[in-house]
Amino acid sequence: MPPMAVDKQRLLPLFVLALVTPACLASGGEEPARFQIPRDGSVVELDEGNFEAAVAAVDFLFVDFHAPWCGHCKRLSPQLDEAAPVLAGLSTPIVVAKVNAEKYKKLRSKYGVDGFPTLMLFDHGVPTEYTGSRKAGQLVESLRKLVAPDVSVLTSDAAIKSFVQEAGVGFPLFIGFGVDESSIAEYGARYKKKAWFSTAKDFSEDLMAVYDFDKIPALVSLNPKYNEQSVFYGPFEGTFLEDFIRQSLLPITVPINAETVKMLKDDDRKVVLAVLQDDSDETSMRLIKVLRSAANANHDLVFGYVGVNQWEEFTEPFHDSKSSQLPKLVVWDKDEEYEVVEGLENLEEGDHGSQISRFLEAYRAGRTIKKTFGRRFPTLLGVNALYILLLLVAVLVVLMFFSGQGKEVRQPTRAHQE
């Protein structure tokens, strides 16, 4: 094998011509398969002849196993085209590739592809299925997070600032100032898909003022998407640390939307939900600030809000649009049940803080009425699941139609006689 050329571009792996592993060299003296990483960061088409070469050559390979007839695959394709050059240009480059799994059935079988599209990230040859967002921007954010270290070690103010800037706003960040890496390594691995983790070993007092802590060790949580920040001083053992991390993955008051509903599934707390007419008007904004104060004092509950104008379908099970007064408070189990405190669920004009306090006191005393939706809450199924359900129904109808066409004509005739 000829030696790999080394020039001034050696730090940019996208410009390298990679060869396959020794296993390919042992295949009867045949010419080894070659895989050339594209210089322009475009999406690569792979097949059974060069797939393993690509896996061996690229540290991080993101593969779309697709089928030509798949509508979801067709919609995904331009998103991958948009994301590919951005991913290729990262400090830890990711190559995007596509495989026609309908045609190349050996690859489909080897990697357990049973639906389309199936997305997998190959990390130094080890595949992991990707189930995150498929929108180009969020896809880049998610994959950039997945290829980062579980815990980054930061050794200067400049490194800390760079870490925060490069992390962006897609995920919460945790920075352990004076925290031993071993204390959070477990959580860095466990919550890798959900947050950035780091430890800071050297930093100035100026930075302590920026992140508003006055002693160490301190674990600072940042949620740039919601402009939130909090500090944990310990203890760094038992369940205390993980409780803080889990609770910090969500904003203090959660705006209920398709994204946050999915996030709530991973939290075992019940949700104190404020149902509003419009969550963006001035009155609602004042109420949300009061909810924030209640959330800071009741960490065993999640506090969320949703506007009828923003997501009417979600709010329908919680109130009768003709007779129910808004705003309204309920305690939702994130499934089919919720609880109301009779006489206290509707918030009147005035001191919302006192009304919420009385509601919580009655809830904790068990003075609630449990209600069910009477049907499984549709929003929790998610849009993708609904698409799948509709597709299955359509397939069943088509099969029944063609099955009927293959039978004798007397069957429909008999149906008319009944």
Side-chain angles (χ1 to χ4, degrees), residues 60-352:
F60 295 101
L61 182 68
F62 186 66
V63 181
D64 167 26
F65 292 92
H66 67 95
W69 48 262
C70 168
H72 291 296
C73 302
K74 293 176 182 178
R75 287 189 288 273
L76 173 62
S77 184
Q79 300 296 325
L80 294 179
D81 289 338
E82 181 180 342
V86 181
L87 291 167
L90 297 177
S91 57
T92 304
I94 303 170
V95 175
V96 179
K98 299 175 73 171
V99 171
N100 182 344
E102 182 77 359
K103 180 178 181 180
Y104 301 111
K105 290 183 170 56
K106 289 182 180 179
L107 291 175
R108 176 180 177 178
S109 175
K110 179 176 181 178
Y111 294 104
V113 175
D114 56 5
F116 303 109
T118 292
L119 303 174
M120 289 189 182
L121 176 65
F122 287 77
D123 180 345
H124 294 83
V126 179
T128 302
E129 186 169 358
Y130 172 84
T131 57
S133 173
R134 297 175 183 177
K135 297 292 185 182
Q138 294 173 319
L139 178 66
V140 169
E141 289 290 317
S142 297
L143 290 178
R144 191 154 58 91
K145 176 72 201 73
L146 290 176
V147 302
D150 292 347
V151 179
S152 298
V153 179
L154 312 174
T155 56
S156 67
D157 284 13
I160 295 168
K161 292 176 183 177
S162 178
F163 172 79
V164 173
Q165 182 177 2
E166 291 181 6
V169 299
F171 297 91
L173 294 81
F174 295 92
I175 308 175
F177 290 92
V179 176
D180 191 275
E181 183 181 353
S182 62
S183 299
I184 60 173
E186 173 188 352
Y187 306 111
R190 184 180 303 173
Y191 297 107
K192 184 178 180 67
K193 294 181 180 181
K194 300 179 180 180
W196 296 88
F197 287 83
S198 67
T199 59
K201 293 185 175 299
D202 193 12
F203 47 89
S204 67
E205 291 185 0
D206 289 342
L207 214 60
M208 293 177 67
V210 168
Y211 292 111
D212 197 25
F213 67 98
D214 56 10
K215 61 181 180 179
I216 57 173
L219 181 63
V220 173
S221 165
L222 306 174
N223 199 329
K225 186 173 184 178
Y226 298 99
N227 196 29
E228 293 181 352
Q229 178 174 315
S230 56
V231 182
F232 178 75
Y233 289 112
F236 287 86
E237 62 272 342
T239 62
F240 301 102
L241 176 58
E242 184 169 13
D243 286 345
F244 172 76
I245 291 172
R246 281 194 308 105
Q247 292 166 11
S248 299
L249 294 175
L250 291 167
I252 296 173
T253 50
V254 182
I256 300 299
N257 52 48
E259 177 187 356
T260 56
V261 164
K262 293 178 182 178
M263 294 169 63
L264 285 171
K265 289 182 180 181
D266 298 326
D267 195 300
D268 57 7
R269 295 174 292 170
K270 291 187 176 182
V271 181
V272 178
L273 180 65
V275 182
L276 315 170
Q277 185 61 49
D278 189 323
D279 65 20
S280 62
D281 65 32
E282 187 176 345
T283 301
S284 294
M285 296 298 289
R286 289 197 297 269
L287 174 56
I288 292 168
K289 288 183 178 179
V290 178
L291 283 175
R292 183 186 179 94
S293 298
N296 281 323
N298 296 271
H299 292 293
D300 60 324
L301 295 167
V302 175
F303 285 74
Y305 60 91
V306 62
V308 174
N309 292 356
Q310 282 71 31
W311 199 357
E312 184 176 6
E313 179 188 6
F314 182 96
T315 62
E316 283 177 355
F318 297 107
H319 83 110
D320 183 344
S321 59
K322 295 181 180 179
S323 60
S324 182
Q325 176 186 332
L326 297 178
K328 178 179 183 179
L329 286 180
V330 302
V331 180
W332 176 41
D333 72 348
K334 299 174 296 183
D335 197 8
E336 300 180 15
E337 292 187 351
Y338 66 96
E339 298 175 61
V340 298
V341 178
E342 193 168 10
L344 295 176
E345 70 268 29
N346 299 121
L347 297 176
E348 307 289 345
E349 287 290 337
D351 186 357
H352 284 157

Side-chain angles (χ1 to χ4, degrees), residues 410-418:
R410 71 171 183 274
Q411 287 184 325
T413 303
R414 187 167 60 247
H416 284 296
Q417 293 172 349
E418 290 177 353

